[in-house]
Structures are given as C-alpha cells and as structure tokens.
Amino acid sequence: VKKAMLESPYPLIVVGDFNALPIGLTYHCLQVGMRDCFLETSRFRLGRTFMHGQIIGARIDYILCSRKLQPYWCLVEEVPGSDHYPLIASIEWAPDSDNH
C-alpha cells in the first residue's frame, strides 16, 4: 500500500480499517507525509473506532489525506450493531495548494 501511495502522481485519500493503533508500525508507515483527518480536526485528539472485548476505546480505523488536501472536520459516528464505528470527514483542497 505504501509503495502505491508513494508512486501516485495524484493527491490521495486513504481510508480503512488498519487494525493498528496510532502507536503501531502500520499506522506510522502509512501516515508519514499524510494528514490524519481525525487528529487534525479533533479538539482533544481522543477517539475510538473499535469496541470489542478488552480493547475498549481503540482507534484502528483511519482517514488519511495528502498534504495538498485539508481536512475541515472528522467525526466518529457511533452506530449500533457493529464493533467498528465509521469515520466521516470533510476534505477540501488545501488553501496553499496550486491543484485547484
């Protein structure tokens, strides 16, 4: 995945269940050079997208975007019936980007 990200000539939005905490190697490798939409727009930078067993309040689902894009808001929607809570984000061209 990281190889494809690095080879892309286009601004990217990478969305998914990484099955990795923010302190993990998978997250670290994928987020280098990207913006974490939740972290950049969350007031307290605390969130949970996974609720199962002993791992309560873990964030393992992410929306990352290229630096040429700007996240304006991102929220976790707590819906019944799933152990994952979906992320929803608003992303636009970054104000200093020349890719309009």
Side-chain angles (χ1 to χ4, degrees):
V1 170
K2 187 63 178 186
K3 182 178 184 291
M5 291 168 65
L6 291 171
E7 291 175 354
S8 175
Y10 306 106
L12 300 172
I13 299 173
V14 179
V15 178
D17 171 1
F18 294 2
N19 279 326
L21 295 172
I23 60 171
L25 184 60
T26 299
Y27 170 80
H28 175 73
C29 288
L30 293 176
Q31 67 84 31
V32 170
M34 303 288 282
R35 298 177 192 263
D36 182 324
C37 294
F38 181 82
L39 285 183
E40 291 211 9
T41 63
S42 171
R43 185 173 199 183
F44 301 107
R45 295 185 168 198
L46 299 173
R48 62 180 187 210
T49 63
F50 184 69
M51 298 292 290
H52 182 71
Q54 300 298 322
I55 305 174
I56 297 176
R59 191 166 74 96
I60 64 172
D61 304 278
Y62 303 92
I63 299 175
L64 306 175
C65 67
S66 297
R67 298 258 175 222
K68 292 187 177 193
L69 303 172
Q70 176 68 49
Y72 283 95
W73 58 263
C74 183
L75 61 90
V76 178
E77 183 70 31
E78 294 189 18
V79 296
S82 176
D83 58 351
H84 287 260
Y85 298 147
L87 286 168
I88 303 166
S90 174
I91 302 169
E92 299 180 8
W93 290 110
D96 58 351
S97 175
D98 59 359
N99 289 324
H100 292 288

